[in-house]
Amino acid sequence: MAKLNTNGNLYTIVYATVIVIIVAFLLAFVASALKPTQDANVAIDKKQQILASLNIRGVEKTATEAKYDAVIKQALVYKATSADVIEGEDGFDVPSKEFKEKRPFYIAEVDGQTKYIVPMTGAGLWGGIWGYVALDDDCETVFGTYFSHESETAGLGARIVEEWFQDSFKGKKLYADGDDKTIALSVVKKGKEGTMSPDNYVNGVTGATLTSNGVDEMIKDGLSKYQDILNAQK
Amino acid sequence: MALFSKENRQAFTNPLNLDNPIAVQVLGICSALAVTSQLKPAIVMGLSVTVITAFSNVIISLIRKTIPNRIRIIIQLVVVAALVTIVSNILKAYVYDVSVQLSVYVGLIITNCILMGRLEAFAMQNGPWPSFLDGVGNGLGYAIVLIVVGFVRELLGFGTIFGFQVVPDSWLMDNGGLYLHNGMMTMPAMALILVACFIWAHRAYNKDIE
């Protein structure tokens, strides 16, 4: 075999082109071949998160679909500007980046009782955070919550996905006594509760004040956007 | 050439101790700070880097004679990035839970200096099999340091090991004890200090390292 001059200009350009084309095809092939499986995983994961907000946790992957269908009665989509339902759309299919125009709203039934689920997104310390808050049919008492995050610090902010934190919201009230306009439910640092009623707050994650503040803002912001829908359900 | 000749064995064992990527070559420090606040991500990161280093070493070693010298770093980077992307896609499709936990780290692997360092220093001059051993050795050498640092940080910072509580609640000041978790340990800065302590101990023991 003749010895190629691997340092020539032509060889370098051709080599770079060939490598890039091979890699591009390879990546495109892998990405499109695996896309359906990945999408199915993402959908199952989302369903598990919604179920977790109803305190139904640890559902097997294969059983998630059936459980979700059994529990979630309606997944509505409201317009962002008015309390009108957009007909023919499934709230589950609304991606979080469309939350500005559309408001997905889930109605579930657990042990014969109606529960309402409000999805929400916000910002943590390093990246996005999101969550689902499930309310009892009085539209005021928290039934359960689920929070997760993109890239909060492992062991600190990332602990908002842990059950003890999410469970601490159970039974808390959205509104303080005598004021049913502003959302009072808060995440506050231990020792900074002030005069708040214990019904209205949970303690943040120790050492993760900024992530906890993010959850606090997300809850207030997310729930106040749904106040008209929630009041209409009462 | 025998599969486990002396040179090949050295390609594997040297990075574990005398040529440790973190302690001696001082490569891959950045990710060592980011993922060691707890033991589990440290181990997962160590294993992921081992796998990727080994296979990118093999690929680069196979095509090393065809790579134009002037763009060799770019080619190395393309191979690493492609490999990491493929692995990340496969994880997402078949072990979704793991991929969610790894989301941040997968990107970090591409930027890990150990990868580029070993490709440039070893795989460009050696055959595929020694390169594979060198990759596995360096990945494991890196993992060992991560595990040591992660162990200390999780123990002192959170009082847990692998998430299991080892410091009893009754010791804590909140409950009237005399013990307080060291919040400093959860910060990346402490990882740097611990890595430095590790290097200190390592050099004190291996006096012949320059």
Side-chain angles (χ1 to χ4, degrees):
Chain A
M1 197 176 91
K3 184 84 178 144
L4 266 170
N5 174 17
T6 55
N7 287 319
N9 281 343
L10 183 66
Y11 180 83
T12 305
I13 293 170
V14 170
Y15 192 89
T17 316
V18 170
I19 287 279
V20 167
I21 291 175
I22 292 175
V23 169
F25 269 102
L26 192 65
L27 290 185
F29 173 75
V30 170
S32 52
L34 297 177
K35 187 102 177 49
T37 334
Q38 294 175 351
D39 286 349
N41 282 333
V42 172
I44 286 178
D45 189 51
K46 187 173 171 183
K47 286 180 178 170
Q48 283 180 333
Q49 296 183 14
I50 295 173
L51 289 175
S53 76
L54 294 166
N55 307 318
I56 303 170
R57 293 174 195 265
V59 184
E60 284 293 319
K61 239 177 148 181
T62 43
T64 306
E65 208 83 19
K67 186 76 189 167
Y68 176 88
D69 290 340
V71 171
I72 304 291
K73 296 297 165 202
Q74 275 180 294
L76 303 168
V77 185
Y78 284 87
K79 285 181 185 162
T81 44
S82 63
D84 296 331
V85 177
I86 305 175
E87 295 296 336
E89 279 200 43
D90 189 336
F92 185 78
D93 298 329
V94 178
S96 58
K97 60 175 181 250
E98 286 175 20
F99 278 11
K100 276 201 170 65
E101 297 96 50
K102 294 171 180 174
R103 293 184 292 173
F105 184 68
Y106 303 89
I107 301 174
E109 201 178 292
V110 179
D111 300 332
Q113 288 176 317
T114 309
K115 310 287 176 193
Y116 303 105
I117 306 172
V118 176
M120 49 187 67
T121 57
L125 172 58
W126 303 114
I129 54 176
W130 65 90
Y132 298 91
V133 173
L135 300 167
D136 283 339
D137 57 0
D138 63 358
C139 288
E140 205 192 321
T141 314
V142 177
F143 177 64
T145 63
Y146 179 85
F147 301 108
S148 192
H149 63 98
E150 274 164 20
S151 48
E152 298 307 297
T153 320
L156 296 171
R159 300 184 75 189
I160 60 169
V161 300
E162 291 177 15
E163 219 174 310
W164 63 268
F165 177 71
Q166 295 164 9
D167 280 353
S168 65
F169 284 87
K170 276 187 200 170
K172 302 289 175 185
K173 303 279 184 202
L174 256 48
Y175 303 107
D177 280 343
D179 180 3
D180 58 1
K181 294 282 182 291
T182 39
I183 304 287
L185 184 63
S186 308
V187 181
V188 287
K189 202 171 172 172
K190 218 173 189 177
K192 297 270 162 85
E193 295 89 350
T195 55
M196 290 178 83
S197 149
D199 275 349
N200 291 130
Y201 71 84
V202 301
N203 284 127
V205 179
T206 314
T209 310
L210 289 170
T211 306
S212 302
N213 287 350
V215 176
D216 179 62
E217 272 164 37
M218 173 172 81
I219 291 173
K220 290 206 171 84
D221 185 55
L223 287 172
S224 52
K225 275 187 201 153
Y226 279 78
Q227 269 176 314
D228 57 332
I229 303 176
L230 289 171
N231 290 338
Q233 306 289 341
K234 277 185 190 174
Chain B
M1 197 168 66
L3 276 187
F4 290 99
S5 66
K6 190 150 180 282
E7 288 83 33
N8 285 353
R9 262 185 289 131
Q10 273 177 353
F12 176 72
T13 53
N14 267 0
L16 295 181
N17 182 19
L18 292 177
D19 203 15
N20 187 288
I22 292 189
V24 182
Q25 307 176 54
V26 196
L27 292 173
I29 297 289
C30 357
S31 53
L33 307 186
V35 301
T36 51
S37 71
Q38 279 170 312
L39 208 43
K40 197 173 148 202
I43 290 176
V44 172
M45 182 70 176
L47 290 180
S48 323
V49 168
T50 307
V51 172
I52 305 267
T53 326
F55 285 101
S56 56
N57 255 1
V58 170
I59 293 175
I60 287 294
S61 168
L62 283 173
I63 60 171
R64 71 187 187 281
K65 287 186 180 136
T66 69
I67 299 177
N69 203 28
R70 276 180 292 174
I71 57 165
R72 64 182 194 283
I73 303 274
I74 302 175
I75 300 292
Q76 291 164 9
L77 198 56
V78 167
V79 168
V80 172
L83 210 57
V84 170
T85 314
I86 291 173
V87 169
S88 141
N89 265 301
I90 291 175
L91 289 180
K92 229 182 250 170
Y94 297 110
V95 269
Y96 188 75
D97 311 347
V98 178
S99 95
V100 168
Q101 286 178 347
L102 279 182
S103 57
V104 199
Y105 310 124
V106 171
L108 277 175
I109 295 174
I110 304 182
T111 62
N112 195 312
C113 350
I114 294 177
L115 280 163
M116 300 298 288
R118 292 327 292 170
L119 293 177
E120 181 69 9
F122 198 91
M124 288 297 285
Q125 285 93 37
N126 292 282
W129 174 242
S131 296
F132 178 78
L133 290 177
D134 177 78
V136 173
N138 273 284
L140 291 179
Y142 168 80
I144 292 171
V145 181
L146 251 59
I147 290 168
V148 170
V149 175
F151 179 83
V152 175
R153 285 181 74 188
E154 185 172 346
L155 181 63
L156 298 182
F158 301 100
T160 59
I161 294 294
F162 279 118
F164 292 110
Q165 200 161 6
V166 283
V167 176
D169 268 339
S170 58
W171 287 14
L172 296 179
M173 275 183 161
D174 285 349
N175 305 322
L178 292 168
Y179 186 82
L180 201 59
H181 293 310
N182 187 344
M184 282 279 282
M185 280 294 169
T186 61
M187 310 283 170
M190 275 317 280
L192 196 60
I193 292 171
L194 285 174
V195 168
C197 291
F198 184 90
I199 295 179
W200 178 22
H202 185 254
R203 300 225 167 167
Y205 183 73
N206 298 300
K207 289 220 169 53
D208 47 342
I209 298 175
E210 267 300 300

